[in-house]
Amino acid sequence: MLRVGVNGYGTIGKRVADAVRAQPDMEVVGVAKTRPNFEAEQAVEKGFPLYAAVEDRVELFDEAGIELAGMVEELVADSDVIVDACPSGIGEQNAEMYAEYDTPALYQGGESADFVDASFNARSNFSDASGADHVRVVSCNTTGLSRLVAPLREEYGVEKVRTTLVRRGGDPAQTGRGPINDIVPNPVTLPSHHGPDVNTIFPDLDIDTLGLKVPATLMHMHSVNVTLESEPDADEVRDLLEGESRLFVIPDHFDIDGAGKLKEYAQDVGRPRGDIWENCVWGESVTTEGDDLYLFQAIHQESDVVPENVDAVRAVTNSADAEESIRKTNEALGMGI
Ligand code: NAD
């Protein structure tokens, strides 16, 4: 069994802990938190040993009556792999601690690509993380774009990708984020950071991205144009995308017109937290004009990186190849809606 610790038990960390626990070849050694909030309470309720991430906060847990298993250093020492899901920038600060205990670490998309050995997307570059000590699982948007681009490159060749990302202002629980009533080019300069981030997965890909922020919390929406190196018809492309295990091509008759109904569907089918781990591509939007492909896809920012973290655990420990890991992860989670 691979022993996995999770440092930073928030939006991403708590989902990764549940996904790791669901795997037949992994166990959660424990999770570390800075504050005794509702998520800390739930971690204990679920039976995850809870470690304090900061020494001076230990008494806050005592006061709240939440029992600690120890300090984060003990969790790191006891884990085969650490998933760091701390807020952006904290992961890099933690890197030294992981190195000190010789524990390979996975970081999240908010971290810089500069200090890690590899950036990771299971479908696109699994083996780049093989045996690495510091691996960054790329952001929700970069994960979504990489999953889409990988099969298109393999099947048709890609000349250029142009994508406009309509980004949610914040996650549902992020009460302080915005905009509340605006449509904001973000960043207003081009390219947005997303294109260069996709290049950490596909260094030679020609990609331009533009970003906007809107008053929404449910999902991101990508308006995608890919200039291909051949001229497939739309049905062919749609078949290709339907064959990808982490792309959900929304059937026309589902009558799903946006992120609201997608989330409703995810809840109806019993997805934990209403999560959608797959890219959601509107089948009807898949259109070709000569060598240009167009489509819309929605990305559930809180969860699409979760199966990728699980696969990255197997990649850094060399315990499976891409195909086997993706299959195992998908089966254990119940991917494919
Ligand atoms: P979050 O704020 O929901 O969770 C972070 C957790 O880490 C919180 O519980 C916080 O209390 C805890 N924490 C803070 N400092 C800590 C420390 N020093 N040690 C241990 N824990 C600490 O953040 P999140 O949304 O889960 O984001 C985590 C990372 O994942 C970021 O890099 C982010 O960019 C990336 N990411 C977020 C999303 C998203 O949409 N939420 C999507 C993909 C990637």
Side-chain angles (χ1 to χ4, degrees):
M1 290 292 256
L2 294 166
R3 294 170 56 74
V4 181
V6 178
N7 187 18
Y9 190 76
T11 306
I12 301 298
K14 65 187 176 188
R15 287 173 166 82
V16 170
D18 287 350
V20 166
R21 177 179 263 181
Q23 305 306 307
D25 54 344
M26 296 184 194
E27 63 180 304
V28 178
V29 184
V31 303
K33 268 204 75 63
T34 44
R35 294 174 293 157
N37 70 352
F38 71 98
E39 285 160 330
E41 189 85 32
Q42 273 301 301
V44 174
E45 191 70 26
K46 283 172 179 249
F48 293 133
L50 181 67
Y51 293 79
V54 182
E55 184 92 57
D56 359 324
R57 306 268 183 93
V58 168
E59 66 187 55
L60 296 178
F61 288 88
D62 292 343
E63 282 162 23
I66 297 180
E67 199 180 328
L68 289 171
M71 288 302 303
V72 65
E73 288 81 2
E74 297 166 67
L75 174 65
V76 174
D78 212 17
S79 300
D80 295 327
V81 179
I82 276 282
V83 178
D84 183 298
C86 293
S88 306
I90 307 277
E92 185 167 359
Q93 293 171 23
N94 287 334
E96 208 176 310
M97 168 172 63
Y98 306 141
E100 193 180 320
Y101 291 94
D102 216 8
T103 306
L106 309 179
Y107 305 89
Q108 306 305 310
E111 302 298 327
S112 152
D114 298 337
F115 79 98
V116 293
D117 305 320
S119 290
F120 179 86
N121 172 251
R123 173 65 178 81
S124 313
N125 70 339
F126 188 97
S127 56
D128 287 1
S130 170
D133 288 328
H134 302 278
V135 169
R136 184 179 71 116
V137 174
V138 290
S139 74
C140 47
N141 282 311
T142 305
T143 295
L145 286 171
S146 301
R147 285 177 180 168
L148 178 70
V149 165
L152 295 174
R153 270 166 71 99
E154 286 163 16
E155 193 68 20
Y156 308 118
V158 166
E159 199 178 299
K160 177 151 186 122
V161 179
R162 298 175 181 85
T163 300
T164 300
L165 300 98
V166 180
R167 301 158 64 198
R168 55 87 177 107
D171 294 341
Q174 288 178 315
T175 41
R177 298 268 295 246
I180 292 178
N181 181 22
D182 211 338
I183 303 167
V184 183
N186 182 269
V188 71
T189 51
L190 271 65
S192 72
H193 70 272
H194 306 93
D197 204 40
V198 175
N199 286 133
T200 66
I201 301 294
F202 300 110
D204 61 342
L205 181 72
D206 188 359
I207 177 168
D208 288 341
T209 53
L210 297 85
L212 298 156
K213 272 196 192 180
V214 296
T217 62
L218 300 178
M219 299 179 84
H220 300 297
M221 189 76 74
H222 297 173
S223 165
V224 181
N225 164 220
V226 183
T227 305
L228 301 166
E229 285 171 358
S230 54
E231 299 192 7
D233 67 31
D235 287 343
E236 217 184 291
V237 177
R238 195 173 151 149
D239 285 349
L240 174 76
L241 302 183
E242 280 171 351
E244 290 289 312
S245 67
R246 292 185 183 170
L247 300 184
F248 166 47
V249 179
I250 306 166
D252 304 356
H253 72 276
F254 273 27
D255 202 16
I256 287 177
D257 60 4
K261 287 207 182 81
L262 273 173
K263 290 285 289 170
E264 185 77 6
Y265 177 54
Q267 289 176 48
D268 287 352
V269 300
R271 281 293 175 88
R273 302 182 176 93
D275 283 350
I276 313 176
W277 302 299
E278 304 86 347
N279 293 21
C280 301
V281 177
W282 269 270
E284 286 167 288
S285 74
V286 176
T287 304
T288 51
E289 297 279 346
D291 58 4
D292 273 319
L293 165 69
Y294 298 90
L295 58 83
F296 288 115
Q297 67 173 359
I299 301 295
H300 185 222
Q301 74 280 356
E302 296 170 288
S303 69
D304 75 327
V305 299
V306 170
E308 308 297 329
N309 273 276
V310 173
D311 291 325
V313 169
R314 294 198 189 91
V316 296
T317 52
N318 284 320
S319 47
D321 63 15
E323 202 185 316
E324 186 192 347
S325 179
I326 290 173
R327 185 182 43 73
K328 268 190 179 163
T329 306
N330 290 356
E331 262 175 37
L333 291 180
M335 299 265 289
I337 48 177

